[in-house]
Amino acid sequence: MLDPYARIVYDYMGGIEDIRKAKVRTINPADISFREDCARILRAIRIAARLGFNISKETAHFIKNLSCSILRLDKSRLLMEINYMLAYGSGEASLRLLWKYGLLDILLPFQAAYFAHHGFRRRDKRTNMLLSLFSNLDKLFAPNRPCHSSLWFGILALHKALSDRPRDPLVVAAFSLAVHNGGNLLEAVKIAGMINKPHDMRFPELLDPSDMDAEALVTGVNDLAESVRGTLLQMTDEHFVSQAMADYPQAPRSDLVFIPLGLYVKAFSIFECVKRSAGKKSLSKQGMKIDYEALATGNIQEIRHVFARIVFDTVFPLHQDQDQALMSSRVSQGG
């Protein structure tokens, strides 16, 4: 507690010391605290992810043991907590912690199945395409500068579509450009065809590039758009969600769907433009600067612009040429 007149902080619970040690813990014993309000489990994850803090052993123990209790929370509260994690600049860290403590299996089982399928350990320090997408999203946002929830939902859907069926990097690039320009496939394919830099080859979601002509690229983009729209539907269907972790019987079964109809419709509208005819293109954003106020309130042109930027930067990282040259140099030197 702060006395603003005397400029004194009164700390009866050791909070200052916890801040110095970068530690998150409950005030009361963790089992009692989480049983009183299971939303504190998600709040602990959110605070640790946003501040880069560690979670105390006792708190971590009961986060794992009581993780299923979050199913008692209202779906609107779950959406609010997940949005706080993914939309405010700490999405990658939040996903890592949700996976580490077994909460991802309950909240986002499709994404948990992706981690499990690729042998991603609970404390894994490596990255993957899903985490890289959110890392690039995090670079653009902050606690005072969030994105609209449809953006991270759309990114989850795109990644699942690529995880289910990998695509040529140019198809993904052309798709993101088509989303950005409101569905002008010919322009998107033309620009994608001029890309001469290597894609990020760490990700199995991206196939080795093939010699695709413009017609094949258009077909690939339309197919990917259809897959993304279908994935949005799967992620809001209890039957599909309940089957996401079917190959991992040791994981908790979850058919939780906390995405409301309105958010589904909003995310669907991001990609709706891609399959329209040439005479029905949507308006595209002008300029490169992000209008954060418009983005936070759900402006569709702004969402499409940022979505395309995140996807493109993930598939074709800015420093990929230098990174691969350095890797080749180390290999040739036996390093």
Side-chain angles (χ1 to χ4, degrees):
M1 294 178 288
L2 170 67
D3 182 338
Y5 300 103
R7 298 178 64 84
I8 295 174
V9 173
Y10 295 92
D11 175 21
Y12 301 107
M13 305 304 302
I16 296 296
E17 186 63 23
D18 286 343
I19 291 173
R20 289 184 179 134
K21 292 180 178 179
K23 181 190 297 184
V24 175
R25 67 180 177 92
T26 57
I27 294 176
N28 295 321
D31 60 329
I32 296 174
S33 183
F34 293 153
R35 290 181 198 280
E36 287 177 347
D37 181 3
C38 56
R40 291 169 181 162
I41 292 174
L42 298 178
R43 203 172 303 140
I45 297 292
R46 167 162 52 94
I47 293 170
R50 189 172 292 184
L51 299 180
F53 281 17
N54 295 311
I55 297 176
S56 72
K57 288 183 179 179
E58 184 212 12
T59 303
H61 174 77
F62 285 105
I63 286 176
K64 291 179 181 177
N65 281 13
L66 300 175
S67 59
C68 287
S69 67
I70 63 172
L71 290 170
R72 301 200 306 263
L73 290 171
D74 184 80
K75 291 181 179 181
S76 61
R77 178 64 183 277
L78 286 170
L79 175 62
M80 182 185 75
E81 293 291 347
I82 294 297
N83 191 58
Y84 278 146
M85 292 183 196
L86 302 184
Y88 287 75
S90 56
E92 180 193 2
S94 296
L95 289 172
R96 286 184 181 275
L97 289 176
L98 289 171
W99 172 244
K100 178 179 178 179
Y101 292 110
L103 293 159
L104 199 68
D105 311 42
I106 300 167
L107 294 166
L108 295 169
F110 284 119
Q111 286 64 44
Y114 166 74
F115 281 126
H117 177 72
H118 290 279
F120 210 75
R121 299 182 299 275
R122 295 289 179 177
R123 296 176 179 269
D124 217 313
K125 301 297 183 184
R126 296 173 296 166
T127 191
N128 54 40
M129 189 174 185
L130 177 61
L131 292 174
S132 293
L133 284 164
F134 275 88
S135 174
N136 284 321
L137 183 146
D138 292 341
K139 292 171 185 175
L140 302 177
F141 302 107
N144 64 338
R145 204 173 57 190
C147 69
H148 192 268
S149 52
S150 62
L151 177 59
W152 57 255
F153 185 36
I155 288 174
L156 290 177
L158 169 69
H159 177 262
K160 183 182 181 309
L162 292 174
S163 179
D164 290 346
R165 183 184 164 195
R167 261 79 171 191
D168 188 293
L170 286 185
V171 168
V172 183
F175 170 74
S176 67
L177 291 166
V179 169
H180 175 268
N181 68 22
N184 189 331
L185 275 176
L186 296 181
E187 178 185 87
V189 165
K190 181 180 178 181
I191 295 172
M194 294 188 289
I195 298 172
N196 58 8
K197 61 185 296 188
H199 71 282
D200 196 323
M201 292 183 283
R202 296 174 298 170
F203 307 140
E205 295 90 331
L206 302 174
L207 300 173
D208 292 335
S210 58
D211 190 15
M212 302 180 73
D213 59 21
E215 184 178 352
L217 269 177
V218 168
T219 300
V221 169
N222 280 328
D223 181 71
L224 178 55
E226 199 64 43
S227 294
V228 172
R229 290 190 288 263
T231 299
L232 289 170
L233 189 59
Q234 288 183 21
M235 292 178 66
T236 53
D237 186 294
E238 290 183 357
H239 171 71
F240 285 106
V241 171
S242 69
Q243 297 302 308
M245 294 289 283
D247 292 337
Y248 308 97
Q250 72 279 13
R253 182 184 177 278
S254 174
D255 61 357
L256 173 66
V257 174
F258 59 84
I259 302 295
L261 178 61
L263 180 52
Y264 163 77
V265 171
K266 185 69 176 181
F268 190 93
S269 69
I270 300 172
F271 312 107
E272 188 180 19
C273 63
V274 175
K275 206 156 187 175
R276 289 179 177 172
S277 65
K280 294 184 178 180
K281 294 189 295 292
S282 301
L283 293 175
S284 60
K285 174 183 167 62
Q286 302 300 310
M288 293 298 294
K289 187 176 180 180
I290 298 173
D291 183 338
Y292 284 98
E293 184 176 349
L295 179 65
T297 56
N299 178 277
I300 195 65
Q301 284 80 29
E302 208 67 46
I303 294 171
R304 287 172 176 162
H305 165 68
V306 177
F307 173 88
R309 178 170 168 177
I310 291 166
V311 174
F312 198 92
D313 287 350
T314 302
V315 176
F316 296 99
L318 187 61
H319 303 296
Q320 182 71 7
D321 293 339
Q322 297 94 314
D323 292 345
Q324 291 192 353
L326 179 61
M327 186 179 296
S328 299
S329 174
R330 286 176 175 172
V331 170
S332 65
Q333 296 172 15

